[in-house]
Structure formats: structure tokens, C-alpha cells
Amino acid sequence: MTRTAKSVTIAMTVVSALGLTTACGSDGGDQTKADAKQTLTVWGMGEEGKRLQAVADEFTSKHPNIKVKVTPVGWDVVHQKLVSAAAAGNLPDMAQMGSTLMGEFIELGTLEPVDTGTFDKGDFFPAAWDGNVKDGTAYGVPWYVDTRALYYRTDLAEKADVEGAPATWKDLRALAAAYHGKADTDYGISLQAGGTGAWQNWLPFLYSAGGSVLDKDGKPALDSPASVKSLEEYAHYFGKGLAKKNFTPGYDVVKDFGSGKVPMFPSGPWIVQNINDQQPQLKGKWKVAELPAGKKSASFIGGSSLVTFKDSEHKAAAAEFTKFLTTPEKQADWYKVSKTLPAVKAAWEQPVLKDGDDSLKVFRKSLDSAQEVPPLAKWNEISVKMDDALGKLARGADPAATAEQLQKATEGLVD
């Protein structure tokens, strides 16, 4: 079964199951007060899930009546476990939820709306908050964020007679060509040629061109002039032989960055530590810069939010734990532990972040202009259509025709 078909099948099963069980499920009416003795169940994802129990124990030391039980869940199985638990009525009280999952679980009706009297949108990066909002209602509190920036080899740029980071699309084209032509690199830049997740490389081009995934009426806008322009720009690098035309699953760009085969690529903040750990010989030979601008420099915000499930009988305790995790001080502490970027703007005034290295400052600035991934119920299916389109584009498909086909492929996926 394809990934798209499997997602549709699971979602339909959950909707059916929820429809059958709503009458006998908890409506949240029998709520336990925050000061009562209780156990709060939480699912944490990936590496964060493994580290979260220690933070939860610290919370319990301050709130001894609330024991927090964290269950780590791998990112590779989280979707299946969440939809299965929703269908069976076995969801935890709260969970960490990735940005691209929000729309689906909002649509399924499993999430409790955020109490905006307790949590203020103004405390968070706007796109992080807006990625959790459907029809004017917020369903998640941003916990940590990520965005994209440009990694580039400064030593090879010097060899190619180029000074400074590329600030515009024109500069980016010139630097990629110079790397390949003058510094003898295999390619000028790494952009994913289709395959799972390619949309993450292209979406910043779309936003930078002034485009958006949806129009003002909430319908796909993937055949807009801005979308065509972004696809033309993305295709340029493949057409000129400056980016690899074939996608290889499991490809390690950091290795090729270290060898000089690929001197430039866009990625997230976690790559900083990967380069430092895996390519120590590059110390002083690379930098991070904001993504070059078309009409503007723009990326998207990813990361995770904290959600409380509608059937939880411990919503007050969940709110207390969420408040604890989103104080500026705890956000800064979490950065020390996980290196994930704080979603709370005030946390960036904490010394560990305010006095951070140059790459951290670049990501902080990029967060101000980053845009949300819209919380669409069928985002996974839409992203697959984007990935497929980008694969065809890399192999020579016409950008305008690709935009038209992408529009048609996604129109039925947005309600």
C-alpha cells in the first residue's frame, strides 16, 4: 500500500470509529482539579520523548500532587499509534505533536482548544502559533520550533572568488555556478530531487517568491504566478547541472559537505551540531546565512506543539505542565538539553541563547519571517503530491505545467 493510500485508510477508520464511540466517550465533564493528587499521561516523540521524563520529574518536585508519566514514541510510528489510540479511545492526556500532524488531528476532533486566557499568542512566534489554528481556534501551544537557513563553505567560496553570503536568488545562482566552475565541486548546491520530504526544500522558494500554499479562500494556490516562479527557480539548478537530479534515500549531505562535493545546502538548526561532530576539519570553513531572497527571505516554521486531548480528565494539570514547559527559563533549559529552538520569543533573551554563536543568531532572525505550514487534515497526502512534482521537475518537467498539475492534484485534498 502506498503511503498516501495508507494514510487515507487509517484516517477513514478513525473517523468511523470516533463516530461510533463519541456517545460513550468522556466529554471532559468529570475534570480533576489541578491541586488534586493525580497522574498525567504524556506522549513525547523521538529524542525529545526520551529526555522529557527528567523535566517532568522536575515539574513534579514543584507540583508534588501531579505525577507525570511520559511514554516515548518514535517519530516513525507516531502517526499510526496516535490514530489507533484515537480509534480505541486510549489517547493519553496530552502529547507532543509535530507541526504537519496538527491539521489531521484537529479534523478528527480529538484535540482540546487552547485556553487563550492562559496562553497568549503574542508570547510565541506568530507562524508557530498560526500553524495550530483552524477556523480561528488554536488547538496546540508551540513548544519548540525550527526553520531553514543556508549552509555554505566559505573556504570554497573564497577559492571561487566570491565574497560574502548570497543575499538574493541571483546571488545564489552565481555562487552555485562559481563553486562548480571555479572550485571544482561536483555540484553547486544540494536540493532534493523529489522523494519523501522534498517539499521542505521547495516551500521556502514558494514563500520567498511571495506565494502561499492556500489562497485567501482556503483553496490551493499552487498554480499561482509566484508558485510558477518558485518552481522555475528550483528547476534552474537541476537544468544547469548544479544539483543532483536523482534522489537517494538516506543521503547524507553533511558527508558531501565535508568532502567538498556539495558546498551549499538549505537545512535546519540541528545540522550545526552534526557538522561540528562529524566534520571537525571544517572548523572555520563554513557559515550559516539566511535563505536568499526572491521577493523576500522566507522559510517555514516546523517543530512541535503541546496538545491536550479532548477526552482527558486532567486538563487543568495538563495546562499547568504546558505552562511549565513554555516559561522562558524552561525553554532555555530545554535548548541546553535538546538544542531545539524555543518557540517562546522571550526565551531568546536568556543568556544561553542571547549570547549564542552566529548560526543561532541567523536562525533567530529567520524565525521572524518564517511562515506556517497550514494545518490541513490531508497535509501528508498534499506533501506527497509536492514531492512527486519536484521529482519530475528535477528530471526536466516544465515548471508551468508542473504547477498546473500540482494544483489539480491537490484541489480535492483541501476542504
Coordinates of all heavy atoms in Angstrom, one line a residue, residues 326-408:
T326 N 6.7 26.1 28.9 CA 6.8 27.2 28.0 C 7.1 28.5 28.7 O 7.0 29.6 28.1 CB 5.4 27.4 27.2 OG1 4.4 27.5 28.1 CG2 5.2 26.3 26.2
T327 N 7.7 28.4 29.9 CA 8.3 29.6 30.5 C 9.6 29.9 29.8 O 10.3 29.0 29.4 CB 8.5 29.4 32.0 OG1 9.5 28.3 32.2 CG2 7.2 29.1 32.8
P328 N 10.0 31.1 29.8 CA 11.3 31.4 29.1 C 12.5 30.7 29.7 O 13.3 30.2 29.0 CB 11.4 33.0 29.3 CG 10.0 33.5 29.4 CD 9.3 32.4 30.1
E329 N 12.5 30.5 31.0 CA 13.6 29.9 31.7 C 13.6 28.4 31.3 O 14.7 27.8 31.0 CB 13.5 30.0 33.2 CG 13.6 31.4 33.7 CD 12.3 32.2 33.5 OE1 11.2 31.6 33.2 OE2 12.3 33.5 33.6
K330 N 12.5 27.7 31.3 CA 12.4 26.3 31.0 C 12.7 26.1 29.5 O 13.3 25.1 29.1 CB 11.1 25.7 31.4 CG 11.0 24.2 31.3 CD 12.3 23.5 31.8 CE 12.5 23.8 33.3 NZ 13.7 23.1 33.8
Q331 N 12.2 27.0 28.7 CA 12.5 26.9 27.2 C 14.1 27.0 27.0 O 14.6 26.2 26.2 CB 11.9 28.0 26.5 CG 10.3 27.9 26.4 CD 9.9 27.3 25.1 OE1 10.0 28.0 24.0 NE2 9.3 26.1 25.1
A332 N 14.7 27.9 27.7 CA 16.2 28.0 27.6 C 16.9 26.7 28.1 O 17.8 26.2 27.5 CB 16.7 29.2 28.3
D333 N 16.4 26.2 29.2 CA 16.9 24.9 29.8 C 16.8 23.8 28.8 O 17.6 22.9 28.6 CB 16.3 24.6 31.1 CG 16.7 25.5 32.2 OD1 17.7 26.2 32.1 OD2 16.0 25.5 33.3
W334 N 15.6 23.7 28.1 CA 15.3 22.7 27.2 C 16.2 22.8 26.0 O 16.7 21.8 25.4 CB 13.9 22.7 26.7 CG 13.4 21.6 25.9 CD1 13.0 21.6 24.6 CD2 13.4 20.2 26.2 NE1 12.7 20.4 24.1 CE2 12.9 19.5 25.1 CE3 13.7 19.5 27.4 CZ2 12.8 18.1 25.1 CZ3 13.5 18.1 27.4 CH2 13.1 17.4 26.3
Y335 N 16.6 24.0 25.6 CA 17.5 24.2 24.5 C 18.9 23.6 24.8 O 19.5 23.0 24.0 CB 17.7 25.7 24.1 CG 18.8 26.0 23.2 CD1 18.8 25.6 21.8 CD2 20.0 26.5 23.7 CE1 19.8 25.8 21.0 CE2 21.1 26.7 22.9 CZ 21.0 26.4 21.5 OH 22.1 26.5 20.7
K336 N 19.3 23.8 26.1 CA 20.6 23.3 26.5 C 20.6 21.8 26.4 O 21.6 21.2 26.0 CB 20.8 23.7 28.0 CG 21.1 25.1 28.3 CD 21.3 25.3 29.8 CE 21.4 26.8 30.1 NZ 21.5 27.0 31.6
V337 N 19.5 21.1 26.7 CA 19.4 19.7 26.7 C 19.2 19.1 25.3 O 19.9 18.1 24.9 CB 18.2 19.2 27.6 CG1 17.9 17.7 27.4 CG2 18.4 19.6 29.0
S338 N 18.4 19.8 24.5 CA 18.0 19.2 23.2 C 18.5 19.9 22.0 O 18.4 19.3 20.9 CB 16.4 19.1 23.2 OG 15.9 20.4 23.1
K339 N 18.9 21.1 22.2 CA 19.3 22.0 21.1 C 18.2 22.4 20.1 O 18.4 22.8 19.0 CB 20.5 21.4 20.3 CG 21.8 21.2 21.1 CD 22.2 22.5 21.7 CE 23.5 22.3 22.6 NZ 23.9 23.5 23.3
T340 N 16.9 22.2 20.5 CA 15.8 22.6 19.8 C 15.5 24.1 20.1 O 15.7 24.5 21.3 CB 14.5 21.8 20.1 OG1 14.3 21.7 21.5 CG2 14.8 20.3 19.6
L341 N 15.1 24.8 19.1 CA 14.9 26.3 19.3 C 13.6 26.6 20.0 O 12.6 26.1 19.7 CB 14.9 26.9 17.9 CG 16.1 26.7 17.0 CD1 16.0 27.4 15.7 CD2 17.4 27.0 17.7
P342 N 13.7 27.6 21.0 CA 12.5 28.0 21.7 C 11.4 28.6 20.9 O 11.7 29.4 20.0 CB 13.0 29.0 22.7 CG 14.5 28.7 22.9 CD 14.9 28.2 21.5
A343 N 10.2 28.2 21.2 CA 9.0 28.8 20.5 C 8.6 30.1 21.2 O 7.8 30.9 20.6 CB 7.8 27.9 20.4
V344 N 9.0 30.3 22.4 CA 8.6 31.5 23.2 C 9.7 32.6 22.9 O 10.9 32.4 23.1 CB 8.6 31.2 24.7 CG1 8.4 32.4 25.5 CG2 7.5 30.1 25.0
K345 N 9.2 33.7 22.4 CA 10.2 34.8 22.0 C 11.0 35.3 23.2 O 12.2 35.5 23.0 CB 9.4 35.9 21.4 CG 8.8 35.6 20.0 CD 8.1 36.8 19.4 CE 6.8 37.1 20.1 NZ 6.1 38.2 19.4
A346 N 10.5 35.4 24.3 CA 11.2 35.9 25.5 C 12.4 35.0 25.9 O 13.3 35.4 26.5 CB 10.3 36.1 26.7
A347 N 12.3 33.7 25.5 CA 13.4 32.8 25.9 C 14.7 33.1 25.2 O 15.7 32.8 25.7 CB 12.9 31.3 25.5
W348 N 14.6 33.8 24.1 CA 15.8 34.2 23.3 C 16.6 35.3 24.0 O 17.7 35.6 23.6 CB 15.4 34.6 21.9 CG 15.0 33.4 21.1 CD1 13.7 32.8 21.1 CD2 15.8 32.6 20.2 NE1 13.7 31.7 20.2 CE2 15.0 31.6 19.7 CE3 17.1 32.7 19.8 CZ2 15.4 30.7 18.8 CZ3 17.6 31.8 18.9 CH2 16.8 30.8 18.4
E349 N 16.0 35.9 25.1 CA 16.7 36.8 25.9 C 17.5 36.2 27.0 O 18.3 36.8 27.7 CB 15.8 37.9 26.5 CG 15.1 38.7 25.4 CD 16.1 39.5 24.5 OE1 17.0 40.1 25.1 OE2 15.9 39.5 23.3
Q350 N 17.3 34.9 27.2 CA 18.1 34.1 28.2 C 19.5 34.0 27.7 O 19.8 33.9 26.5 CB 17.5 32.7 28.4 CG 16.1 32.7 29.0 CD 16.1 33.1 30.4 OE1 16.8 32.6 31.2 NE2 15.2 34.1 30.7
P351 N 20.5 34.1 28.6 CA 21.9 34.1 28.2 C 22.4 33.0 27.3 O 23.1 33.3 26.3 CB 22.7 34.0 29.6 CG 21.7 34.6 30.5 CD 20.3 34.2 30.1
V352 N 21.9 31.8 27.4 CA 22.4 30.7 26.6 C 22.0 30.9 25.1 O 22.7 30.5 24.2 CB 21.9 29.3 27.1 CG1 20.3 29.3 26.9 CG2 22.5 28.2 26.4
L353 N 21.0 31.7 24.9 CA 20.5 31.9 23.5 C 21.0 33.3 23.1 O 21.5 33.5 21.9 CB 19.0 31.8 23.4 CG 18.5 30.4 23.6 CD1 17.3 30.3 24.4 CD2 18.3 29.8 22.2
K354 N 20.8 34.3 23.9 CA 21.2 35.7 23.6 C 22.7 35.8 23.3 O 23.1 36.5 22.4 CB 20.9 36.6 24.7 CG 21.1 38.1 24.4 CD 20.6 39.0 25.5 CE 20.7 40.5 25.1 NZ 20.2 41.3 26.2
D355 N 23.5 35.0 24.0 CA 25.0 35.0 23.8 C 25.5 33.9 22.9 O 26.6 33.5 22.9 CB 25.7 35.0 25.1 CG 25.3 36.1 26.0 OD1 24.9 37.2 25.5 OD2 25.3 35.9 27.3
G356 N 24.5 33.3 22.1 CA 24.9 32.1 21.3 C 25.8 32.5 20.1 O 26.0 33.7 19.9
D357 N 26.2 31.5 19.3 CA 27.1 31.7 18.2 C 26.3 32.4 17.0 O 25.1 32.6 17.1 CB 27.7 30.4 17.8 CG 26.8 29.3 17.3 OD1 25.6 29.7 16.9 OD2 27.2 28.2 17.2
D358 N 27.1 32.6 16.0 CA 26.5 33.4 14.8 C 25.4 32.6 14.2 O 24.4 33.2 13.7 CB 27.6 33.7 13.8 CG 28.5 34.8 14.3 OD1 28.2 35.5 15.3 OD2 29.7 34.9 13.7
S359 N 25.5 31.2 14.1 CA 24.5 30.4 13.5 C 23.1 30.6 14.2 O 22.1 30.6 13.6 CB 24.9 29.0 13.4 OG 25.0 28.4 14.6
L360 N 23.2 30.6 15.5 CA 22.0 30.7 16.3 C 21.3 32.1 16.1 O 20.1 32.1 16.0 CB 22.3 30.6 17.8 CG 21.2 30.3 18.8 CD1 20.5 29.1 18.4 CD2 21.7 30.2 20.2
K361 N 22.1 33.1 15.9 CA 21.5 34.4 15.6 C 20.9 34.4 14.2 O 19.8 35.1 14.0 CB 22.7 35.5 15.6 CG 23.2 35.8 17.0 CD 24.3 36.8 17.0 CE 24.8 37.2 18.4 NZ 25.3 36.1 19.1
V362 N 21.4 33.7 13.3 CA 20.8 33.6 11.9 C 19.4 32.9 12.0 O 18.4 33.4 11.5 CB 21.7 32.8 11.0 CG1 20.9 32.5 9.7 CG2 22.9 33.6 10.6
F363 N 19.4 31.8 12.8 CA 18.1 31.1 12.9 C 17.1 32.0 13.7 O 15.9 32.0 13.3 CB 18.3 29.8 13.6 CG 18.8 28.7 12.6 CD1 20.1 28.3 12.7 CD2 18.0 28.2 11.6 CE1 20.6 27.3 11.9 CE2 18.5 27.2 10.7 CZ 19.8 26.8 10.9
R364 N 17.5 32.7 14.6 CA 16.6 33.6 15.4 C 16.0 34.6 14.4 O 14.8 34.9 14.5 CB 17.4 34.3 16.5 CG 16.6 35.5 17.2 CD 15.3 34.9 17.8 NE 14.5 36.0 18.4 CZ 13.6 36.7 17.7 NH1 13.4 36.4 16.4 NH2 12.8 37.6 18.3
K365 N 16.8 35.2 13.6 CA 16.3 36.2 12.7 C 15.4 35.6 11.6 O 14.4 36.2 11.3 CB 17.5 36.9 12.0 CG 17.1 38.1 11.1 CD 18.3 38.8 10.5 CE 17.8 40.0 9.7 NZ 19.0 40.7 9.1
S366 N 15.7 34.4 11.2 CA 14.9 33.7 10.2 C 13.5 33.4 10.7 O 12.5 33.3 10.0 CB 15.6 32.4 9.8 OG 16.8 32.7 9.1
L367 N 13.4 33.2 12.0 CA 12.1 32.8 12.6 C 11.1 34.0 12.5 O 9.9 33.8 12.5 CB 12.3 32.4 14.1 CG 12.9 31.1 14.4 CD1 13.3 30.9 15.8 CD2 12.0 30.0 13.9
D368 N 11.6 35.2 12.4 CA 10.7 36.4 12.4 C 9.9 36.4 11.0 O 8.8 36.9 10.9 CB 11.5 37.7 12.5 CG 11.9 37.9 14.0 OD1 11.1 37.5 14.9 OD2 12.9 38.5 14.2
S369 N 10.6 35.9 10.0 CA 10.0 36.0 8.6 C 9.4 34.6 8.2 O 8.8 34.5 7.1 CB 11.0 36.5 7.6 OG 12.1 35.6 7.5
A370 N 9.6 33.6 9.0 CA 9.1 32.3 8.6 C 7.6 32.2 8.6 O 6.9 32.9 9.4 CB 9.7 31.2 9.5
Q371 N 7.0 31.4 7.7 CA 5.6 31.2 7.6 C 5.2 29.8 8.1 O 6.0 28.9 8.1 CB 5.1 31.5 6.2 CG 5.4 33.0 5.7 CD 5.1 33.2 4.3 OE1 5.9 33.8 3.6 NE2 4.0 32.7 3.8
E372 N 3.9 29.7 8.4 CA 3.4 28.4 8.9 C 3.2 27.4 7.8 O 2.9 27.8 6.6 CB 2.1 28.6 9.7 CG 0.9 28.9 8.9 CD 0.7 30.4 8.7 OE1 1.7 31.2 8.9 OE2 -0.4 30.8 8.3
V373 N 3.2 26.2 8.1 CA 2.7 25.1 7.3 C 1.2 25.0 7.7 O 0.9 24.8 8.8 CB 3.3 23.7 7.6 CG1 2.7 22.6 6.8 CG2 4.8 23.8 7.2
P374 N 0.3 25.2 6.7 CA -1.1 25.3 7.1 C -1.6 24.0 7.7 O -1.2 22.9 7.2 CB -1.8 25.6 5.7 CG -0.9 25.2 4.7 CD 0.5 25.4 5.3
P375 N -2.4 24.0 8.7 CA -2.9 22.8 9.4 C -4.0 22.1 8.6 O -5.2 22.2 9.0 CB -3.3 23.3 10.8 CG -3.8 24.7 10.5 CD -2.9 25.3 9.4
L376 N -3.6 21.4 7.6 CA -4.6 20.8 6.7 C -4.7 19.3 7.1 O -3.7 18.6 7.4 CB -4.1 20.9 5.3 CG -4.0 22.3 4.7 CD1 -3.4 22.3 3.4 CD2 -5.4 22.9 4.7
A377 N -5.9 18.8 7.1 CA -6.2 17.4 7.5 C -5.5 16.4 6.6 O -5.0 15.4 7.1 CB -7.7 17.2 7.5
K378 N -5.3 16.8 5.4 CA -4.7 15.8 4.4 C -3.3 16.3 4.0 O -2.9 16.1 2.9 CB -5.6 15.6 3.2 CG -6.9 14.9 3.6 CD -7.8 14.7 2.4 CE -9.1 14.0 2.8 NZ -10.0 13.8 1.6
W379 N -2.6 17.0 4.9 CA -1.3 17.5 4.6 C -0.3 16.4 4.1 O 0.4 16.6 3.1 CB -0.6 18.3 5.7 CG 0.8 18.7 5.4 CD1 1.9 18.1 5.7 CD2 1.1 19.8 4.5 NE1 3.0 18.7 5.2 CE2 2.5 19.8 4.4 CE3 0.4 20.7 3.8 CZ2 3.2 20.7 3.6 CZ3 1.1 21.7 3.0 CH2 2.5 21.6 2.9
N380 N -0.4 15.3 4.7 CA 0.5 14.2 4.3 C 0.3 13.8 2.8 O 1.3 13.6 2.1 CB 0.4 13.0 5.2 CG 1.0 13.1 6.5 OD1 1.9 13.9 6.7 ND2 0.6 12.3 7.5
E381 N -0.9 13.8 2.4 CA -1.2 13.5 1.0 C -0.8 14.6 0.1 O -0.3 14.4 -1.0 CB -2.7 13.2 0.8 CG -3.1 11.9 1.6 CD -4.6 11.9 1.7 OE1 -5.3 11.8 0.7 OE2 -5.1 11.9 2.9
I382 N -1.0 15.8 0.5 CA -0.6 17.0 -0.3 C 0.9 17.0 -0.4 O 1.4 17.3 -1.5 CB -1.1 18.3 0.4 CG1 -2.7 18.3 0.3 CG2 -0.5 19.5 -0.3 CD1 -3.3 19.4 1.1
S383 N 1.6 16.8 0.7 CA 3.1 16.8 0.6 C 3.6 15.7 -0.3 O 4.6 15.9 -1.0 CB 3.7 16.6 2.0 OG 3.5 15.3 2.5
V384 N 3.0 14.6 -0.4 CA 3.4 13.5 -1.4 C 3.2 14.0 -2.8 O 4.1 13.8 -3.6 CB 2.5 12.2 -1.1 CG1 2.8 11.3 -2.3 CG2 2.9 11.6 0.2
K385 N 2.1 14.8 -3.1 CA 1.9 15.3 -4.4 C 3.1 16.3 -4.7 O 3.6 16.4 -5.9 CB 0.6 16.0 -4.5 CG -0.6 15.1 -4.3 CD -0.7 14.0 -5.3 CE -2.0 13.2 -5.1 NZ -2.1 12.0 -6.0
M386 N 3.4 17.1 -3.7 CA 4.5 18.1 -3.9 C 5.8 17.3 -4.2 O 6.6 17.7 -5.1 CB 4.7 18.9 -2.7 CG 3.6 19.9 -2.4 SD 3.9 20.9 -0.9 CE 2.5 22.0 -0.9
D387 N 6.1 16.3 -3.4 CA 7.4 15.5 -3.6 C 7.4 14.9 -5.0 O 8.5 15.0 -5.7 CB 7.4 14.4 -2.6 CG 7.6 14.9 -1.1 OD1 8.0 16.1 -1.0 OD2 7.3 14.1 -0.2
D388 N 6.3 14.4 -5.5 CA 6.3 13.8 -6.8 C 6.5 14.8 -7.9 O 7.2 14.6 -8.8 CB 4.9 13.1 -7.0 CG 4.7 11.8 -6.2 OD1 5.7 11.3 -5.6 OD2 3.6 11.4 -6.0
A389 N 5.9 16.0 -7.7 CA 6.0 17.0 -8.7 C 7.5 17.5 -8.8 O 8.0 17.8 -9.9 CB 5.1 18.2 -8.3
L390 N 8.1 17.6 -7.6 CA 9.5 18.1 -7.6 C 10.5 17.1 -8.2 O 11.5 17.5 -8.8 CB 9.9 18.4 -6.1 CG 9.2 19.6 -5.5 CD1 9.5 19.7 -4.0 CD2 9.5 20.9 -6.2
G391 N 10.1 15.8 -8.1 CA 10.9 14.8 -8.7 C 10.9 14.9 -10.2 O 11.9 14.8 -11.0
K392 N 9.7 15.2 -10.8 CA 9.5 15.4 -12.2 C 10.2 16.6 -12.7 O 10.8 16.7 -13.8 CB 8.0 15.4 -12.6 CG 7.3 14.1 -12.3 CD 5.8 14.2 -12.5 CE 5.1 12.9 -12.2 NZ 3.6 13.0 -12.3
L393 N 10.1 17.7 -11.9 CA 10.7 18.9 -12.2 C 12.3 18.8 -12.3 O 12.9 19.3 -13.2 CB 10.4 19.9 -11.1 CG 10.8 21.4 -11.4 CD1 9.8 22.0 -12.4 CD2 10.7 22.2 -10.1
A394 N 12.8 18.0 -11.4 CA 14.3 17.8 -11.4 C 14.7 17.0 -12.7 O 15.9 17.2 -13.1 CB 14.7 17.0 -10.2
R395 N 13.8 16.3 -13.2 CA 14.1 15.5 -14.4 C 13.7 16.2 -15.7 O 13.8 15.6 -16.8 CB 13.5 14.1 -14.3 CG 14.0 13.3 -13.2 CD 13.5 11.8 -13.2 NE 12.1 11.7 -13.0 CZ 11.5 11.6 -11.9 NH1 12.2 11.7 -10.8 NH2 10.2 11.5 -11.8
G396 N 13.4 17.5 -15.6 CA 13.2 18.3 -16.8 C 11.8 18.7 -17.1 O 11.5 19.3 -18.1
A397 N 10.8 18.4 -16.2 CA 9.4 18.8 -16.5 C 9.3 20.4 -16.5 O 10.0 21.1 -15.8 CB 8.5 18.3 -15.4
D398 N 8.4 20.9 -17.3 CA 8.1 22.3 -17.4 C 7.5 22.8 -16.1 O 6.6 22.3 -15.6 CB 7.2 22.6 -18.6 CG 6.8 24.0 -18.7 OD1 7.7 24.8 -19.1 OD2 5.7 24.4 -18.4
P399 N 8.1 23.9 -15.6 CA 7.6 24.5 -14.3 C 6.1 24.9 -14.4 O 5.4 24.6 -13.4 CB 8.5 25.7 -14.0 CG 9.8 25.3 -14.7 CD 9.4 24.6 -16.0
A400 N 5.7 25.5 -15.4 CA 4.3 26.0 -15.5 C 3.4 24.8 -15.6 O 2.3 24.8 -14.9 CB 4.1 26.9 -16.7
A401 N 3.7 23.8 -16.4 CA 2.9 22.6 -16.5 C 2.9 21.8 -15.1 O 1.9 21.3 -14.7 CB 3.4 21.7 -17.6
T402 N 4.0 21.8 -14.4 CA 4.1 21.2 -13.1 C 3.2 21.9 -12.1 O 2.5 21.2 -11.4 CB 5.6 21.2 -12.6 OG1 6.4 20.5 -13.5 CG2 5.7 20.6 -11.2
A403 N 3.2 23.2 -12.2 CA 2.3 24.0 -11.3 C 0.8 23.7 -11.5 O 0.1 23.4 -10.6 CB 2.6 25.5 -11.4
E404 N 0.5 23.6 -12.8 CA -0.9 23.3 -13.2 C -1.3 21.9 -12.7 O -2.4 21.7 -12.2 CB -1.1 23.4 -14.7 CG -2.5 23.2 -15.2 CD -2.6 23.4 -16.7 OE1 -1.6 23.8 -17.3 OE2 -3.7 23.0 -17.2
Q405 N -0.4 20.9 -12.9 CA -0.7 19.5 -12.5 C -0.8 19.4 -11.0 O -1.6 18.7 -10.4 CB 0.4 18.6 -13.1 CG 0.3 18.5 -14.6 CD 1.6 17.8 -15.2 OE1 2.5 17.4 -14.4 NE2 1.7 17.8 -16.5
L406 N 0.1 20.1 -10.3 CA 0.1 20.1 -8.8 C -1.2 20.7 -8.3 O -1.8 20.2 -7.3 CB 1.3 20.9 -8.3 CG 1.6 20.8 -6.8 CD1 1.7 19.4 -6.3 CD2 2.9 21.6 -6.4
Q407 N -1.6 21.8 -8.9 CA -2.9 22.4 -8.5 C -4.0 21.4 -8.6 O -4.8 21.2 -7.7 CB -3.2 23.6 -9.3 CG -4.5 24.3 -9.1 CD -4.5 25.1 -7.8 OE1 -3.5 25.3 -7.1 NE2 -5.7 25.6 -7.4
K408 N -4.1 20.8 -9.7 CA -5.2 19.8 -10.0 C -5.1 18.6 -9.0 O -6.2 18.1 -8.6 CB -5.2 19.3 -11.4 CG -5.6 20.4 -12.5 CD -5.5 19.8 -13.9 CE -5.9 20.9 -14.9 NZ -5.8 20.4 -16.3

